[in-house]
């Protein structure tokens, strides 16, 4: 039975989610504020954390950052009523793996949870080989070590930025639509908030392109993005 930590302060939402997930055969633990959630996530092994952003003490963004700084890599799904692209990107950039905007349908919550658990399981069971090193021009991506270099300089990427670059480099030379990138880099099978991809492409460009030549991330107007040498 998969164990889920739910960090949420709205009692009616807690009741709704816990009842539904219990019926789906998940074991659900609840924290009603950010401090308790941080402590429970630090002291116990959970398969997934559902984290509300708007909490009465430590907000969800800060909780996520604290857990990632402690090297706790449990998948985190944000719940947010602030569903603008900037707010969503802020949440993902803090180290979360996915988001779900309130109000939401329970069937979508379950789908997101199962997608994250599948991805987490697949990552844990990968057999690593040196074939997991990808290069284009002077960019090198080592998926064994989860490192990225440009001109021999190590570049620090968030987990979401890393997955986006990994999707692009595996498909170098191929134009990928925003929906393609959502489905591959975020494992989202819903055509939602594709402008989040644009925000993350900008993050990625600042880190791997702005100070280097040749430029590698290119926009194909009306179609999407492609990783290639100019």
């Amino acid at each position: 039975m998969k164990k889920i930590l739910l960090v949420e302060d709205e009692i009616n939402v807690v009741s709704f989610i816990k009842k539904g997930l219990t019926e789906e055969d998940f074991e659900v633990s609840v924290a009603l504020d950010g401090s308790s959630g941080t402590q429970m996530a630090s002291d116990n092994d959970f398969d997934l954390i559902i984290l509300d952003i708007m909490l009465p003490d430590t907000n969800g963004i800060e909780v996520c950052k604290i857990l990632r700084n402690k090297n706790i890599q449990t998948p985190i799904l944000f719940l947010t009523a602030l569903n603008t692209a900037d707010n969503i990107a802020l949440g993902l950039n803090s180290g979360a793996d996915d988001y779900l905007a309130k109000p939401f349908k329970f069937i979508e919550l379950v789908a997101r949870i199962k997608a994250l658990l599948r991805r987490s399981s697949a990552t844990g069971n990968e057999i690593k080989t040196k074939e997991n090193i990808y290069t284009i021009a002077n960019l090198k991506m080592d998926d064994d070590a989860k490192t990225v270099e440009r001109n021999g300089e190590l570049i620090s990427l968030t987990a979401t930025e890393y997955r986006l670059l990994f999707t692009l480099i595996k498909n170098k030379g191929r134009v990928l639509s925003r929906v393609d990138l959502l489905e591959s880099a975020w494992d989202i099978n819903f055509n939602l908030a594709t402008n989040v991809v644009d925000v993350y492409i900008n993050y990625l460009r600042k880190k791997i392109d702005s100070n280097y030549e040749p430029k590698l991330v290119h926009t194909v107007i009306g179609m999407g993005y492609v990783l290639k040498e100019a």
Side-chain angles (χ1 to χ4, degrees):
M1 181 179 290
K2 297 291 185 181
K3 296 193 295 183
I4 293 177
L5 173 62
L6 172 61
V7 187
E8 168 64 65
D9 65 313
E10 295 184 44
I11 298 301
N12 58 332
V13 176
V14 169
S15 178
F16 165 68
I17 292 177
K18 183 171 184 179
K19 180 177 184 296
L21 292 183
T22 300
E23 291 174 355
E24 291 285 334
D25 291 328
F26 293 106
E27 181 182 326
V28 182
S29 300
V30 175
L32 297 176
D33 56 62
S35 299
S36 299
T38 302
Q39 192 66 50
M40 290 175 68
S42 301
D43 294 345
N44 300 277
D45 291 325
F46 293 99
D47 296 292
L48 184 135
I49 299 168
I50 301 173
L51 181 57
D52 188 25
I53 290 182
M54 303 297 290
L55 292 168
D57 56 351
T58 309
N59 69 52
I61 301 290
E62 291 304 314
V63 171
C64 185
K65 288 179 180 178
I66 291 169
L67 295 180
R68 294 308 188 227
N69 286 337
K70 289 183 174 184
N71 201 32
I72 296 171
Q73 297 303 317
T74 307
I76 292 176
L77 170 63
F78 268 138
L79 298 181
T80 175
L82 308 173
N83 61 349
T84 66
D86 286 344
N87 283 315
I88 292 167
L90 178 65
L92 294 173
N93 211 37
S94 70
D97 298 274
D98 199 357
Y99 73 94
L100 187 58
K102 294 179 179 178
F104 55 84
K105 294 182 179 179
F106 183 73
I107 190 173
E108 185 177 353
L109 173 64
V110 173
R112 298 295 184 96
I113 289 171
K114 289 183 177 179
L116 285 173
L117 291 174
R118 281 196 305 270
R119 189 168 71 203
S120 177
S121 177
T123 301
N125 292 327
E126 283 177 353
I127 298 174
K128 297 296 185 182
T129 71
K130 283 301 176 184
E131 294 177 0
N132 288 326
I133 294 179
Y134 301 82
T135 60
I136 179 171
N138 49 14
L139 174 72
K140 175 184 175 183
M141 188 173 201
D142 187 338
D143 197 42
D144 290 349
K146 293 290 188 287
T147 58
V148 175
E149 297 177 8
R150 189 96 197 250
N151 277 349
E153 299 175 357
L154 197 63
I155 297 173
S156 177
L157 299 180
T158 66
T160 304
E161 291 164 350
Y162 183 93
R163 289 196 300 270
L164 179 58
L165 178 59
F166 188 55
T167 299
L168 287 166
I169 203 167
K170 284 196 303 180
N171 294 278
K172 58 186 177 182
R174 177 186 169 199
V175 177
L176 298 175
S177 71
R178 291 166 178 80
V179 174
D180 289 335
L181 291 169
L182 277 174
E183 292 179 347
S184 297
W186 278 268
D187 201 7
I188 296 174
N189 297 313
F190 304 91
N191 188 5
L192 297 174
T194 53
N195 53 346
V196 171
V197 174
D198 302 328
V199 173
Y200 266 87
I201 287 290
N202 287 334
Y203 287 156
L204 199 56
R205 278 178 167 149
K206 288 177 182 177
K207 292 187 177 182
I208 72 167
D209 262 356
S210 62
N211 297 319
Y212 303 96
E213 294 292 341
K215 304 305 179 189
L216 298 177
V217 182
H218 301 274
T219 302
V220 181
I221 296 174
M223 299 182 69
Y225 298 99
V226 60
L227 190 74
K228 65 177 183 179
E229 296 183 53

